[in-house]
Amino acid sequence: MTKRAVTYASYLGLEQLLSAQYPRSEGADGRPEHDELLFIVIHQVYELWFKQLLHELAEVQRTLEAGDTDMTLHLLNRILKILKTLVAQVDVLETMTPLQFTSFRERLESASGFQSAQFREIESVLGRRDASAPKAHPEGSVGRARIEEAQARRSVWGSFLRYLAARGHALADDVLARDVTLPPEPDERVQVVLVAVYRGDADAALVAERLVDLDEGFQEWRYRHVKMVERTIGTKRGTGGSAGVEYLRTTLFQPIFPDLWEIRGRL
């Protein structure tokens, strides 16, 4: 049997990819509401980028713990570009007016962005420890298992601390052995070391600054997402019974790497 040549379409799985949009609304003319396809495509693209972010963050942790500064900086730069792309996609979604969204919103039923397992996994990889995150997904599901696994292993911050220790920076044993299931908290001892890093270890300081950029980029995406939701549905409750904008506002201005922000005034 002759093996079929790999084509652009087969390599990218375009048949499956382009047939994975299922609008559920029906307008007066019997066709789906025009803007529902945009809504679906944007969120599918988000999920593809989330998949790539998880791929990149796993490699960042590996290169950090291997002491590979150059590759870590390269990967963090790529992640920052992806975050900028995520923010830019909000501009596209905001071309949809509240009335246009309302025309198909009820068709979402219980579906909600809160159910994005990949986004919760990203939060967990970065260090967030929220016991309710995995519980939003069915027992035995792949999404729930991945969130639980991410919350039970070292975060990006933990990998960075090991990177610093391997470069000779004196971090206390209990800092390096801190329970990985606990959320990040500012630690004065870590901050003293970080100030020394900025003053005497240029390469490690560059990595620290890229982590600040990552933190800021993630917060920027959260802010744009909150304002987009507020612009589209105001203070209405979100789909699936979520609190909508009220909840999303509580996620703003919460740093991922608090120690890197605490030392700003000392440098």
Side-chain angles (χ1 to χ4, degrees):
M1 187 168 137
T2 305
K3 183 180 177 182
R4 295 180 64 182
V6 174
T7 66
Y8 177 80
S10 65
Y11 181 71
L12 297 178
L14 291 184
E15 184 176 350
Q16 300 94 321
L17 183 66
L18 298 179
S19 61
Q21 295 76 43
Y22 305 101
R24 296 173 180 268
S25 62
E26 186 175 306
D29 58 3
R31 297 185 302 171
E33 294 290 347
H34 177 77
D35 289 277
E36 188 177 5
L37 181 62
L38 172 67
F39 186 82
I40 293 171
V41 167
I42 285 285
H43 286 83
Q44 287 181 336
V45 172
Y46 270 134
E47 290 296 330
L48 287 171
W49 280 126
F50 292 163
K51 181 175 183 176
Q52 188 65 33
L53 282 174
L54 288 166
H55 181 67
E56 302 296 347
L57 287 168
E59 187 67 0
V60 163
Q61 289 194 258
R62 189 193 70 77
T63 57
L64 276 172
E65 297 190 22
D68 190 339
T69 300
D70 289 343
M71 184 54 70
T72 297
L73 290 170
H74 170 71
L75 293 169
L76 286 172
N77 182 60
R78 177 181 293 168
I79 288 169
L80 294 173
K81 301 297 186 186
I82 293 173
L83 285 172
K84 290 293 185 185
T85 300
L86 294 179
V87 171
Q89 286 183 192
V90 175
D91 292 337
V92 181
L93 202 51
E94 284 184 339
T95 65
M96 184 172 58
T97 69
L99 284 176
Q100 289 168 335
F101 180 51
T102 301
S103 71
F104 63 85
R105 186 182 186 222
E106 64 178 24
R107 297 292 182 169
L108 301 180
E109 298 182 2
S110 63
S112 168
F114 289 98
Q115 297 163 352
S116 172
Q118 287 198 118
F119 183 73
R120 296 304 180 202
E121 186 181 349
I122 290 170
E123 289 183 318
S124 301
V125 168
L126 290 174
R128 186 176 174 86
R129 296 294 181 260
D130 181 355
S132 68
K135 293 177 182 176
H137 304 274
E139 281 194 53
S141 67
V142 173
R144 181 166 181 160
R146 289 187 58 128
I147 297 168
E148 289 174 339
E149 289 166 7
Q151 292 194 356
R153 67 174 181 263
R154 196 156 45 243
S155 68
V156 168
W157 182 247
S159 295
F160 176 61
L161 293 180
R162 275 162 176 69
Y163 165 82
L164 294 181
R167 294 178 69 86
H169 297 286
L171 287 157
D173 290 342
D174 63 310
V175 168
L176 295 173
R178 189 173 184 269
D179 186 348
V180 297
T181 65
L182 296 176
E185 291 183 356
D187 187 319
E188 175 63 27
R189 297 170 299 167
V190 172
Q191 291 165 28
V192 169
V193 170
L194 288 173
V195 169
V197 166
Y198 272 85
R199 291 175 177 170
D201 187 342
D203 285 346
L206 276 176
V207 174
E209 279 299 280
R210 292 297 78 76
L211 290 177
V212 173
D213 290 337
L214 169 58
D215 198 333
E216 186 175 1
F218 202 69
Q219 291 187 60
E220 180 186 6
W221 185 82
R222 282 192 186 278
Y223 176 78
R224 285 300 312 277
H225 181 244
V226 169
K227 298 309 292 184
M228 180 271 294
V229 173
E230 185 176 21
R231 175 174 176 161
T232 306
I233 67 170
T235 57
K236 294 177 185 175
R237 291 191 67 79
T239 52
S242 65
V245 170
E246 182 181 343
Y247 165 76
L248 292 172
R249 283 175 180 158
T250 68
T251 67
L252 296 177
F253 310 116
Q254 294 184 14
I256 303 167
F257 311 124
D259 286 312
L260 287 174
W261 294 97
E262 291 289 336
I263 65 170
R264 299 288 108 180
R266 307 185 203 176
L267 300 177

mmCIF file of all heavy atoms in Angstrom, residues 74-100:
data_model
loop_
_atom_site.group_PDB
_atom_site.id
_atom_site.type_symbol
_atom_site.label_atom_id
_atom_site.label_comp_id
_atom_site.label_asym_id
_atom_site.label_seq_id
_atom_site.Cartn_x
_atom_site.Cartn_y
_atom_site.Cartn_z
ATOM 1 N N HIS A 74 15.569 32.853 26.449
ATOM 2 C CA HIS A 74 14.946 32.694 25.134
ATOM 3 C C HIS A 74 13.496 32.235 25.272
ATOM 4 O O HIS A 74 12.587 32.785 24.636
ATOM 5 C CB HIS A 74 15.749 31.684 24.316
ATOM 6 C CG HIS A 74 15.078 31.265 23.051
ATOM 7 N ND1 HIS A 74 14.935 32.105 21.957
ATOM 8 C CD2 HIS A 74 14.488 30.091 22.698
ATOM 9 C CE1 HIS A 74 14.286 31.459 20.992
ATOM 10 N NE2 HIS A 74 14.012 30.247 21.416
ATOM 11 N N LEU A 75 13.274 31.233 26.113
ATOM 12 C CA LEU A 75 11.925 30.698 26.286
ATOM 13 C C LEU A 75 10.999 31.706 26.960
ATOM 14 O O LEU A 75 9.828 31.834 26.585
ATOM 15 C CB LEU A 75 11.981 29.412 27.118
ATOM 16 C CG LEU A 75 12.679 28.220 26.450
ATOM 17 C CD1 LEU A 75 12.910 27.113 27.473
ATOM 18 C CD2 LEU A 75 11.866 27.704 25.272
ATOM 19 N N LEU A 76 11.511 32.424 27.939
ATOM 20 C CA LEU A 76 10.683 33.432 28.608
ATOM 21 C C LEU A 76 10.301 34.543 27.632
ATOM 22 O O LEU A 76 9.183 35.061 27.680
ATOM 23 C CB LEU A 76 11.416 34.007 29.828
ATOM 24 C CG LEU A 76 11.502 33.075 31.038
ATOM 25 C CD1 LEU A 76 12.424 33.664 32.106
ATOM 26 C CD2 LEU A 76 10.111 32.821 31.634
ATOM 27 N N ASN A 77 11.218 34.905 26.757
ATOM 28 C CA ASN A 77 10.900 35.905 25.739
ATOM 29 C C ASN A 77 9.771 35.418 24.839
ATOM 30 O O ASN A 77 8.846 36.174 24.502
ATOM 31 C CB ASN A 77 12.140 36.219 24.903
ATOM 32 C CG ASN A 77 11.876 37.294 23.861
ATOM 33 O OD1 ASN A 77 11.506 38.419 24.180
ATOM 34 N ND2 ASN A 77 12.046 36.941 22.594
ATOM 35 N N ARG A 78 9.803 34.146 24.462
ATOM 36 C CA ARG A 78 8.734 33.574 23.637
ATOM 37 C C ARG A 78 7.399 33.610 24.390
ATOM 38 O O ARG A 78 6.359 33.958 23.821
ATOM 39 C CB ARG A 78 9.079 32.140 23.258
ATOM 40 C CG ARG A 78 7.978 31.442 22.456
ATOM 41 C CD ARG A 78 8.356 30.017 22.121
ATOM 42 N NE ARG A 78 9.475 29.985 21.186
ATOM 43 C CZ ARG A 78 10.165 28.879 20.888
ATOM 44 N NH1 ARG A 78 9.855 27.735 21.487
ATOM 45 N NH2 ARG A 78 11.149 28.917 20.021
ATOM 46 N N ILE A 79 7.423 33.256 25.662
ATOM 47 C CA ILE A 79 6.199 33.271 26.470
ATOM 48 C C ILE A 79 5.617 34.673 26.540
ATOM 49 O O ILE A 79 4.396 34.865 26.445
ATOM 50 C CB ILE A 79 6.496 32.715 27.879
ATOM 51 C CG1 ILE A 79 6.727 31.195 27.813
ATOM 52 C CG2 ILE A 79 5.367 33.038 28.857
ATOM 53 C CD1 ILE A 79 7.283 30.600 29.085
ATOM 54 N N LEU A 80 6.489 35.669 26.676
ATOM 55 C CA LEU A 80 6.019 37.058 26.731
ATOM 56 C C LEU A 80 5.351 37.463 25.421
ATOM 57 O O LEU A 80 4.343 38.174 25.424
ATOM 58 C CB LEU A 80 7.192 37.997 27.039
ATOM 59 C CG LEU A 80 7.824 37.834 28.430
ATOM 60 C CD1 LEU A 80 9.079 38.686 28.542
ATOM 61 C CD2 LEU A 80 6.828 38.184 29.522
ATOM 62 N N LYS A 81 5.879 37.002 24.306
ATOM 63 C CA LYS A 81 5.265 37.298 23.003
ATOM 64 C C LYS A 81 3.885 36.645 22.909
ATOM 65 O O LYS A 81 2.942 37.228 22.353
ATOM 66 C CB LYS A 81 6.156 36.803 21.858
ATOM 67 C CG LYS A 81 7.552 37.395 21.815
ATOM 68 C CD LYS A 81 7.541 38.899 21.584
ATOM 69 C CE LYS A 81 8.972 39.407 21.415
ATOM 70 N NZ LYS A 81 9.019 40.887 21.336
ATOM 71 N N ILE A 82 3.772 35.431 23.426
ATOM 72 C CA ILE A 82 2.467 34.750 23.411
ATOM 73 C C ILE A 82 1.468 35.512 24.265
ATOM 74 O O ILE A 82 0.307 35.699 23.867
ATOM 75 C CB ILE A 82 2.609 33.295 23.902
ATOM 76 C CG1 ILE A 82 3.434 32.475 22.908
ATOM 77 C CG2 ILE A 82 1.233 32.652 24.098
ATOM 78 C CD1 ILE A 82 3.774 31.067 23.383
ATOM 79 N N LEU A 83 1.892 35.986 25.434
ATOM 80 C CA LEU A 83 0.992 36.757 26.292
ATOM 81 C C LEU A 83 0.522 38.032 25.595
ATOM 82 O O LEU A 83 -0.643 38.427 25.717
ATOM 83 C CB LEU A 83 1.678 37.095 27.615
ATOM 84 C CG LEU A 83 1.820 35.946 28.614
ATOM 85 C CD1 LEU A 83 2.683 36.366 29.802
ATOM 86 C CD2 LEU A 83 0.449 35.478 29.103
ATOM 87 N N LYS A 84 1.419 38.686 24.866
ATOM 88 C CA LYS A 84 1.032 39.880 24.102
ATOM 89 C C LYS A 84 -0.023 39.523 23.055
ATOM 90 O O LYS A 84 -0.960 40.293 22.792
ATOM 91 C CB LYS A 84 2.251 40.506 23.433
ATOM 92 C CG LYS A 84 3.230 41.165 24.371
ATOM 93 C CD LYS A 84 2.632 42.402 25.032
ATOM 94 C CE LYS A 84 3.652 43.134 25.883
ATOM 95 N NZ LYS A 84 3.027 44.285 26.627
ATOM 96 N N THR A 85 0.130 38.353 22.450
ATOM 97 C CA THR A 85 -0.848 37.900 21.458
ATOM 98 C C THR A 85 -2.203 37.641 22.114
ATOM 99 O O THR A 85 -3.255 37.980 21.550
ATOM 100 C CB THR A 85 -0.344 36.614 20.767
ATOM 101 O OG1 THR A 85 0.911 36.892 20.124
ATOM 102 C CG2 THR A 85 -1.335 36.118 19.733
ATOM 103 N N LEU A 86 -2.191 37.056 23.298
ATOM 104 C CA LEU A 86 -3.446 36.824 24.022
ATOM 105 C C LEU A 86 -4.159 38.137 24.319
ATOM 106 O O LEU A 86 -5.385 38.234 24.194
ATOM 107 C CB LEU A 86 -3.170 36.079 25.329
ATOM 108 C CG LEU A 86 -2.646 34.645 25.226
ATOM 109 C CD1 LEU A 86 -2.410 34.062 26.616
ATOM 110 C CD2 LEU A 86 -3.595 33.767 24.444
ATOM 111 N N VAL A 87 -3.399 39.141 24.712
ATOM 112 C CA VAL A 87 -3.988 40.453 24.994
ATOM 113 C C VAL A 87 -4.557 41.056 23.713
ATOM 114 O O VAL A 87 -5.664 41.615 23.704
ATOM 115 C CB VAL A 87 -2.938 41.397 25.614
ATOM 116 C CG1 VAL A 87 -3.484 42.823 25.710
ATOM 117 C CG2 VAL A 87 -2.540 40.905 27.006
ATOM 118 N N ALA A 88 -3.821 40.922 22.609
ATOM 119 C CA ALA A 88 -4.278 41.489 21.330
ATOM 120 C C ALA A 88 -5.572 40.840 20.860
ATOM 121 O O ALA A 88 -6.398 41.486 20.200
ATOM 122 C CB ALA A 88 -3.190 41.334 20.271
ATOM 123 N N GLN A 89 -5.765 39.562 21.187
ATOM 124 C CA GLN A 89 -6.995 38.886 20.775
ATOM 125 C C GLN A 89 -8.234 39.481 21.444
ATOM 126 O O GLN A 89 -9.340 39.372 20.904
ATOM 127 C CB GLN A 89 -6.917 37.389 21.093
ATOM 128 C CG GLN A 89 -6.015 36.636 20.150
ATOM 129 C CD GLN A 89 -5.988 35.143 20.411
ATOM 130 O OE1 GLN A 89 -5.153 34.447 19.875
ATOM 131 N NE2 GLN A 89 -6.893 34.638 21.224
ATOM 132 N N VAL A 90 -8.047 40.104 22.596
ATOM 133 C CA VAL A 90 -9.175 40.768 23.257
ATOM 134 C C VAL A 90 -9.716 41.880 22.357
ATOM 135 O O VAL A 90 -10.927 42.109 22.291
ATOM 136 C CB VAL A 90 -8.758 41.333 24.633
ATOM 137 C CG1 VAL A 90 -9.900 42.128 25.265
ATOM 138 C CG2 VAL A 90 -8.340 40.200 25.571
ATOM 139 N N ASP A 91 -8.825 42.561 21.643
ATOM 140 C CA ASP A 91 -9.258 43.620 20.723
ATOM 141 C C ASP A 91 -10.229 43.072 19.680
ATOM 142 O O ASP A 91 -11.209 43.729 19.321
ATOM 143 C CB ASP A 91 -8.056 44.238 20.005
ATOM 144 C CG ASP A 91 -7.155 45.030 20.937
ATOM 145 O OD1 ASP A 91 -7.641 45.468 21.997
ATOM 146 O OD2 ASP A 91 -5.974 45.207 20.605
ATOM 147 N N VAL A 92 -9.952 41.880 19.191
ATOM 148 C CA VAL A 92 -10.835 41.269 18.200
ATOM 149 C C VAL A 92 -12.182 40.937 18.829
ATOM 150 O O VAL A 92 -13.242 41.228 18.255
ATOM 151 C CB VAL A 92 -10.195 39.994 17.602
ATOM 152 C CG1 VAL A 92 -11.124 39.389 16.558
ATOM 153 C CG2 VAL A 92 -8.837 40.297 16.994
ATOM 154 N N LEU A 93 -12.155 40.369 20.012
ATOM 155 C CA LEU A 93 -13.406 39.987 20.676
ATOM 156 C C LEU A 93 -14.247 41.204 21.010
ATOM 157 O O LEU A 93 -15.484 41.152 20.986
ATOM 158 C CB LEU A 93 -13.086 39.184 21.940
ATOM 159 C CG LEU A 93 -14.185 38.273 22.496
ATOM 160 C CD1 LEU A 93 -14.758 37.362 21.424
ATOM 161 C CD2 LEU A 93 -13.644 37.451 23.645
ATOM 162 N N GLU A 94 -13.589 42.330 21.281
ATOM 163 C CA GLU A 94 -14.323 43.548 21.631
ATOM 164 C C GLU A 94 -15.003 44.206 20.433
ATOM 165 O O GLU A 94 -15.738 45.179 20.603
ATOM 166 C CB GLU A 94 -13.392 44.543 22.329
ATOM 167 C CG GLU A 94 -13.103 44.158 23.775
ATOM 168 C CD GLU A 94 -12.267 45.196 24.500
ATOM 169 O OE1 GLU A 94 -11.581 46.004 23.836
ATOM 170 O OE2 GLU A 94 -12.284 45.188 25.747
ATOM 171 N N THR A 95 -14.778 43.671 19.240
ATOM 172 C CA THR A 95 -15.547 44.182 18.094
ATOM 173 C C THR A 95 -16.980 43.661 18.130
ATOM 174 O O THR A 95 -17.825 44.112 17.352
ATOM 175 C CB THR A 95 -14.899 43.768 16.754
ATOM 176 O OG1 THR A 95 -14.954 42.333 16.614
ATOM 177 C CG2 THR A 95 -13.464 44.252 16.665
ATOM 178 N N MET A 96 -17.255 42.723 19.034
ATOM 179 C CA MET A 96 -18.607 42.186 19.195
ATOM 180 C C MET A 96 -19.339 43.003 20.261
ATOM 181 O O MET A 96 -18.856 43.145 21.388
ATOM 182 C CB MET A 96 -18.540 40.716 19.626
ATOM 183 C CG MET A 96 -19.879 40.032 19.734
ATOM 184 S SD MET A 96 -19.677 38.247 20.026
ATOM 185 C CE MET A 96 -18.707 38.247 21.535
ATOM 186 N N THR A 97 -20.489 43.574 19.907
ATOM 187 C CA THR A 97 -21.234 44.421 20.838
ATOM 188 C C THR A 97 -21.995 43.573 21.853
ATOM 189 O O THR A 97 -22.216 42.372 21.638
ATOM 190 C CB THR A 97 -22.246 45.295 20.082
ATOM 191 O OG1 THR A 97 -23.278 44.443 19.556
ATOM 192 C CG2 THR A 97 -21.575 46.070 18.955
ATOM 193 N N PRO A 98 -22.419 44.165 22.969
ATOM 194 C CA PRO A 98 -23.234 43.423 23.939
ATOM 195 C C PRO A 98 -24.474 42.793 23.320
ATOM 196 O O PRO A 98 -24.832 41.653 23.652
ATOM 197 C CB PRO A 98 -23.601 44.502 24.971
ATOM 198 C CG PRO A 98 -22.472 45.475 24.909
ATOM 199 C CD PRO A 98 -22.069 45.522 23.465
ATOM 200 N N LEU A 99 -25.139 43.513 22.404
ATOM 201 C CA LEU A 99 -26.332 42.953 21.767
ATOM 202 C C LEU A 99 -25.994 41.749 20.896
ATOM 203 O O LEU A 99 -26.753 40.771 20.837
ATOM 204 C CB LEU A 99 -27.041 44.022 20.922
ATOM 205 C CG LEU A 99 -27.856 45.061 21.690
ATOM 206 C CD1 LEU A 99 -28.407 46.111 20.723
ATOM 207 C CD2 LEU A 99 -29.003 44.399 22.454
ATOM 208 N N GLN A 100 -24.877 41.821 20.219
ATOM 209 C CA GLN A 100 -24.464 40.694 19.380
ATOM 210 C C GLN A 100 -24.153 39.468 20.230
ATOM 211 O O GLN A 100 -24.472 38.339 19.849
ATOM 212 C CB GLN A 100 -23.259 41.100 18.527
ATOM 213 C CG GLN A 100 -23.623 42.085 17.418
ATOM 214 C CD GLN A 100 -22.409 42.717 16.765
ATOM 215 O OE1 GLN A 100 -21.341 42.816 17.368
ATOM 216 N NE2 GLN A 100 -22.563 43.170 15.532
#
